[in-house]
Amino acid sequence: MTNRLASGDKLVVASHNPGKAWEIHQLIAPYGLEAISAATLGLPEPEETERTFAGNARLKAVAAAKASGLPALADDSGLQVEILNGAPGIYSARWAGPSKDFSIAMQKVADEISMRGGWDAAGPRANFISVLCLAWPDGSNETYEGKVFGNLVWPPRGGNGFGYDPMFQAEGATETFGEMEPDEKYAISHRTRAFAAFKAACLAGIQTGPAKPSRAMEIEALNAAAANLSTQAELSRFIANLAADVAADATAAKEGTCVAPALQRVREWLGDTDCSEEMRWRLLAKALLAATGRLKNA
Ligand code: IMP
């Protein structure tokens, strides 16, 4: 019999990936569960030594539940490309290398597909998969799986989401996950589908509250995006979201009036500039020059 969670329970979100942790927080928020991230508790990030998504999700959730004495929810997820026999699969994060740069990972996927002649008109078939695991401090656990199928596109499109989102177009969609607004992605994503199975088993009967994000969640979203962005489009989108947030922040109205136009200038400059060969720190320095109206040859 599955253990159930109740409104007000504390739940550790056992992911050190800020993009995933934020998405899981979003899913949990309406249920009145108090989500605490593994990073906040200072829990170590276990090495993913298993050969399956379920095995790795279990490994992360059980480790966090035992270390914290609280129930813990972990996700293991990835991109599976048919013509690559399911790769990058459980190694999806590792294809981005130590710098976790997903523009590199996406290029690698595109190159591997090219070597197999897989870029046909429809684009190679692929799916995202998410396996959620809820574990309890005594080590008991359950896993829940969700998938979303579609095709890959090249070049990547859009600055929303994270990871491989800009190169994945779900079945029936005309936009990539990177182009969709977050709500559109959540409506169909693999993680939402895994969450639906988790919800049916563990959250049934809990009254949902208002879905309006708290200020802390909004700040967390911006920080998750900053920690995850890999492409120029994602940086541009990030700056637009930051500018909107600053402009809408009533408690910092004064700050908002001077910072928002500066952010807008950076975004306009990025839109007009090919920065693909630019070193990251130089790019940041130039962005700051653009923000202060001091960039030459903009
Ligand atoms: P892990 O589950 O932490 O091992 O990492 C899974 C990796 O799969 C992430 O780092 C992303 O690269 C990729 N991934 C998982 N879910 C998504 C998603 O919703 N969008 C884009 N990439 C994803």
Side-chain angles (χ1 to χ4, degrees):
M1 156 84 191
T2 306
N3 276 319
R4 292 194 170 216
L5 291 160
S7 191
D9 279 359
K10 288 186 173 158
L11 181 65
V12 177
V13 178
S15 174
H16 285 76
N17 174 328
K20 285 201 312 190
W22 185 75
E23 287 196 8
I24 295 171
H25 275 118
Q26 287 288 97
L27 291 165
I28 290 168
Y31 293 88
L33 296 166
E34 192 185 327
I36 311 167
S37 71
T40 307
L41 291 175
L43 301 181
E45 193 173 1
E47 209 188 323
E48 297 183 12
T49 48
E50 295 289 333
R51 310 286 310 246
T52 62
F53 290 100
N56 282 328
R58 191 174 295 118
L59 183 149
K60 290 185 269 190
V62 170
K66 286 189 171 167
S68 64
L70 294 167
L73 186 64
D75 152 286
D76 200 57
S77 50
L79 177 71
Q80 298 180 302
V81 183
E82 207 170 87
I83 196 170
L84 304 182
N85 300 320
I90 59 165
Y91 303 110
S92 293
R94 278 167 261 187
W95 277 37
S99 60
K100 302 191 177 174
D101 183 338
F102 281 90
S103 56
I104 295 175
M106 288 191 283
Q107 185 68 58
K108 236 164 135 179
V109 168
D111 291 346
E112 291 284 336
I113 293 168
S114 296
M115 282 195 281
R116 289 165 176 76
W119 286 107
D120 54 15
R125 296 276 305 156
N127 67 274
F128 277 124
I129 174 171
S130 161
V131 178
L132 285 169
C133 178
L134 178 69
W136 298 84
D138 67 2
S140 59
N141 63 80
E142 298 281 340
T143 56
Y144 309 93
E145 182 182 294
K147 286 183 179 177
V148 56
F149 287 86
N151 297 84
L152 298 182
V153 303
W154 198 255
R157 301 197 314 256
N160 282 333
F162 66 96
Y164 299 91
D165 278 342
M167 72 181 304
F168 181 81
Q169 193 166 301
E171 255 164 26
T174 53
E175 293 180 317
T176 66
F177 271 5
E179 291 172 308
M180 286 182 172
E181 289 305 318
D183 286 351
E184 293 174 84
K185 177 183 167 186
Y186 301 149
I188 55 172
S189 91
H190 47 310
R191 199 161 295 104
T192 305
R193 288 173 180 171
F195 190 78
F198 161 69
K199 188 173 91 176
C202 306
L203 301 177
I206 300 187
Q207 282 286 301
T208 56
K212 186 173 170 359
S214 67
R215 190 71 197 121
M217 292 283 279
E218 286 167 352
I219 298 286
E220 188 141 350
L222 286 169
N223 280 269
N228 266 319
L229 56 85
S230 296
T231 65
Q232 189 172 338
E234 286 170 349
L235 176 61
S236 177
R237 178 71 205 202
F238 167 78
I239 294 168
N241 288 342
L242 182 59
D245 188 77
V246 170
D249 186 356
T251 59
K254 192 157 161 278
E255 187 194 0
T257 50
C258 56
V259 176
L263 293 169
Q264 188 53 34
R265 277 199 294 276
V266 178
R267 192 169 189 231
E268 281 162 13
W269 166 69
L270 267 176
D272 292 342
T273 312
D274 176 9
C275 306
S276 52
E277 298 300 320
E278 191 76 56
M279 261 170 60
R280 274 146 209 267
W281 294 114
R282 289 185 197 165
L283 181 61
L284 181 58
K286 282 192 178 175
L288 293 171
L289 285 175
T292 50
R294 287 163 171 75
L295 184 66
K296 288 175 141 184
N297 310 320

